[in-house]
Amino acid sequence: MRALLIHPEFRSASFWNYRATCELLDARYPAAPLGLCTVAALLPRDWELRLVDRNVEPLEDAALDWADIVLIGAMLPQQRDCLALIRRARAQGKRVVVGGPDPTSSPHLYKEADHLVLGEGEVTLPRFLEDLARGEAQPVYQDAGKADLTQSPVPRFDLLQFESYNHVGIQFCRGCPFNCEFCDIIELYGRKPRAKTPEQVLRELETLHALGYRGHIDLVDDNFIGNKKRVKELLPRMKTWLEAHDWPFEFTTEASINLADDAELMEMMRDVGFFAIFVGIESPDEQTLLAMQKRQNTRRPIVESLRKIYQHGMFVNAGFILGFDSEQGSVARGIIECIEDAALPASMVGLLYALPNTQLTRRLRAEGRLQDGHDVQPDGESDQCTAGINFTPRRPRRDILTDYLKVVETIYAPERYFERVLRVGRQLDSRHRRFKPSLSKQVKELRGFVRLVRKMSLNKATRRPFWKALIGALVANPRSIRYSVSMMALYLHFGPFSALVGRKIRDAIEQEPHVTELHAA
């Protein structure tokens, strides 16, 4: 059997898709498609496999002609391209199998596929393959069971073109112990984090190393510290492996803010080379955090917690959301002050979006507040930045959009952004870093730095704040300059994208009436 695995294009512009920054290092996209590499490892060993990532290369007709079967996995921002790919493959007479988070949450949108293999692939894909081998494959395979990750195979990293990506991902655990109302992770993967063994993780590192990969690895876990005991078992083993292999990798991940409570854990992460984490802050307002069931963010001072993380050599990318029912009056000032006080350069600020499979969506449906087509990804929109609020809000939509516009235009003004880079660069403790970039990576980064300097210097808006931050960071904390520069490089994307979002939000505000009748409580 010849199987073509296709990763659909993320058509929507997003704070996450920093292509302009990737281009500095001759990469085409931030992250490689780990999900499809894992699916590939679950397929029969005698199948021939090809992987096409539509974010870095076109899908040629010849690839479809070659295939006996087409497998596609999709998240919500890939929905439009996934549906187009299903139709294109079916038109060429190919059997199409679809799975992933969005088909699992909204299977009714993907009925054109021959087979839907929903839920976690380790659970449902083997059943499909058994039936396929007997010629009895069914239209839908659905199972809410959770996979035993200790049985999950090493992903087929050999199918990737490493040079196309800024980083490669691996997964240690799935699930999150918290209960945030707006989050679909706990619905898809549960609240009891399940982890691979340290031996499995080391095999994945060994596989990447043997394939010649060096550099940035992202642990794509929903919450890396969801099970701290398991993490503390893993990290010493990683450190031993890295020492034996002369420190070829450095790491990022996503974690909840309670990481700051555990100095031992932060030291362990620092000692294996974690240099950045994503933290969902969502809102600095305690009542809003309680209403969204994100109590873990109310039990510790946010700004102080972030500073502790910086002091352990990790800078923070933060997420904020506007549009919660509990917001009382303008929330823009509080969010801006939190971002400024904590010196958060990279802040992914978005409008609340009711994802198809969440407690929030079920509540809004019961209240009659969901918009028609709430689970359909709008074409050409900028993800939740402009397509959010897919429901009738409590607060006037115009007020929410006005707040959002103020936040985006304020925090991504060049002077503000680069000043925050300078401040976090001063705080970032890089004395313990052991990562050793290869000679080719050093050359690539030097070439990227020259390109960055040229682009920033030619832009009148960024020239002065960029040079002020660069010189200031170099003088104040030269050990961290590589990471300060990486944050500056993100502005090649954040600057133009925030301007795009600003224009779209201004247009949306103009279309909103000045007085909006609130939905009854």
Side-chain angles (χ1 to χ4, degrees):
M1 185 79 79
R2 293 179 296 190
L4 179 65
L5 298 96
I6 308 177
H7 191 53
E9 182 182 3
F10 287 88
R11 286 188 175 178
S12 299
S14 167
F15 276 119
W16 301 95
N17 299 344
Y18 46 92
R19 291 178 185 267
T21 302
C22 292
E23 289 171 1
L24 291 176
L25 301 176
D26 297 319
R28 298 182 183 180
Y29 201 70
L34 177 61
L36 279 185
C37 291
T38 303
V39 167
L42 293 166
L43 297 177
R45 292 182 180 275
D46 60 347
W47 284 22
E48 294 181 55
L49 307 181
R50 293 184 185 177
L51 190 153
V52 173
D53 182 354
R54 293 257 299 146
N55 297 286
V56 302
E57 61 182 317
L59 173 62
E60 304 291 352
D61 285 341
L64 280 174
D65 290 340
W66 169 87
D68 298 314
I69 189 169
V70 174
L71 298 97
I72 310 174
M75 294 186 284
L76 179 61
Q78 298 169 292
Q79 184 185 103
R80 288 281 182 176
D81 196 47
C82 183
L83 294 174
L85 289 168
I86 293 170
R87 294 172 190 131
R88 180 177 169 186
R90 288 289 306 279
Q92 289 192 223
K94 303 301 176 180
R95 184 193 295 260
V96 180
V97 184
V98 174
D102 196 49
T104 297
S105 296
S106 302
H108 59 284
L109 298 177
Y110 293 88
K111 290 181 178 179
E112 293 179 72
D114 294 286
H115 309 282
L116 295 180
V117 181
L118 310 177
E120 298 192 37
E122 293 93 340
V123 176
T124 50
L125 188 59
R127 288 172 44 204
F128 164 74
L129 293 172
E130 290 172 5
D131 288 353
L132 181 68
R134 293 195 300 265
E136 300 174 357
Q138 303 300 308
V140 179
Y141 291 81
Q142 191 162 16
D143 193 321
K146 306 306 178 191
D148 178 359
L149 290 194
T150 65
Q151 302 302 310
S152 191
V154 174
R156 288 287 304 274
F157 296 120
D158 58 295
L159 297 174
L160 297 174
Q161 303 171 23
F162 293 135
E163 67 276 6
S164 295
Y165 302 101
N166 179 63
H167 62 262
V168 171
I170 65 174
Q171 185 177 55
F172 174 54
C173 73
R174 286 181 203 160
C176 178
F178 299 114
N179 194 36
C180 305
E181 186 191 39
F182 60 87
C183 182
D184 64 350
I185 291 298
I186 54 177
E187 307 292 335
L188 290 166
Y189 305 118
R191 292 186 59 194
K192 184 177 181 180
R194 294 158 286 130
K196 296 177 181 176
T197 64
E199 288 78 13
Q200 285 175 284
V201 174
L202 298 186
R203 280 199 296 272
E204 296 187 19
L205 296 181
E206 190 69 53
T207 299
L208 286 167
H209 188 267
L211 289 169
Y213 183 75
R214 304 290 186 273
H216 177 184
I217 293 178
D218 182 46
L219 279 95
V220 303
D221 301 10
D222 312 312
N223 183 353
F224 180 61
I225 65 166
N227 186 328
K228 290 185 179 182
K229 179 182 177 182
R230 299 294 297 274
V231 176
K232 289 181 179 180
E233 293 170 355
L234 169 68
L235 292 175
R237 299 284 302 276
M238 286 179 62
K239 184 177 179 181
T240 300
W241 187 93
L242 290 162
E243 288 174 335
H245 292 77
D246 203 22
W247 300 92
F249 303 132
E250 59 182 348
F251 303 94
T252 57
T253 194
E254 177 174 348
S256 45
I257 201 168
N258 59 311
L259 169 64
D261 301 343
D262 195 328
E264 179 190 22
L265 180 53
M266 287 190 289
E267 289 169 5
M268 295 173 78
M269 292 177 66
R270 174 199 69 193
D271 289 347
V272 300
F274 279 86
F275 68 90
I277 62 171
F278 176 82
V279 176
I281 295 175
E282 322 314 354
S283 173
D285 178 66
E286 183 170 328
Q287 292 306 311
T288 296
L289 291 170
L290 290 172
M292 71 175 80
Q293 299 172 189
K294 202 175 183 82
R295 294 175 179 83
Q296 66 270 22
N297 282 22
T298 68
R299 295 168 181 160
R300 54 200 53 82
I302 290 175
V303 173
E304 181 182 325
S305 297
L306 296 177
R307 287 173 180 164
K308 289 179 181 178
I309 295 171
Y310 299 157
Q311 290 163 9
H312 286 83
M314 296 173 281
F315 68 80
V316 173
N317 298 323
F320 291 86
I321 303 175
L322 287 83
F324 292 102
D325 286 351
S326 54
E327 293 173 356
Q328 299 294 320
S330 176
V331 298
R333 181 176 177 181
I335 291 176
I336 292 168
E337 288 180 351
C338 180
I339 291 170
E340 291 292 340
D341 291 347
L344 289 166
S347 298
M348 283 62 170
V349 185
L351 296 168
L352 181 61
Y353 190 96
L355 295 167
N357 186 22
T358 62
Q359 299 170 75
L360 172 64
T361 297
R362 291 192 288 274
R363 175 171 66 81
L364 293 172
R365 180 180 291 113
E367 295 172 359
R369 296 169 56 195
L370 278 179
Q371 292 178 354
D372 292 340
H374 63 90
D375 52 357
V376 175
Q377 178 70 9
D379 203 8
E381 293 290 343
S382 305
D383 65 20
Q384 75 273 21
C385 295
T386 58
I389 317 295
N390 57 343
F391 58 93
T392 302
R394 296 279 188 214
R395 198 155 67 102
R397 185 184 298 269
R398 183 186 185 89
D399 293 354
I400 297 171
L401 296 177
T402 300
D403 268 359
Y404 182 56
L405 180 66
K406 184 175 182 180
V407 172
V408 170
E409 292 191 333
T410 300
I411 66 171
Y412 284 110
E415 296 80 5
R416 297 257 196 162
Y417 182 87
F418 287 101
E419 176 62 26
R420 294 197 302 276
V421 170
L422 176 56
R423 284 192 284 129
V424 73
R426 287 170 176 162
Q427 299 176 60
L428 202 63
D429 185 355
S430 294
R431 292 174 298 170
H432 303 272
R433 300 202 192 281
R434 305 283 297 280
F435 169 62
K436 295 182 179 180
S438 63
L439 179 60
S440 62
K441 185 170 180 60
Q442 292 180 51
V443 170
K444 187 178 289 189
E445 289 187 354
L446 178 59
R447 185 166 59 239
F449 175 71
V450 172
R451 291 169 177 170
L452 175 66
V453 169
R454 183 186 304 120
K455 288 176 180 290
M456 291 297 181
S457 298
L458 291 175
N459 186 331
K460 184 183 292 187
T462 60
R463 184 185 307 140
R464 186 174 180 277
F466 166 75
W467 279 104
K468 179 181 177 181
L470 180 62
I471 295 171
L474 186 60
V475 171
N477 189 0
R479 291 177 185 268
S480 295
I481 191 63
R482 181 168 175 264
Y483 301 94
S484 294
V485 168
S486 71
M487 287 184 276
M488 295 178 201
L490 287 172
Y491 197 76
L492 288 177
H493 171 66
F494 289 154
F497 181 67
S498 61
L500 170 67
V501 170
R503 290 193 298 271
K504 288 190 172 185
I505 295 298
R506 285 185 181 279
D507 290 343
I509 290 172
E510 289 180 5
Q511 297 173 22
E512 287 291 323
H514 284 273
V515 178
T516 303
E517 183 178 346
L518 298 182
H519 192 282

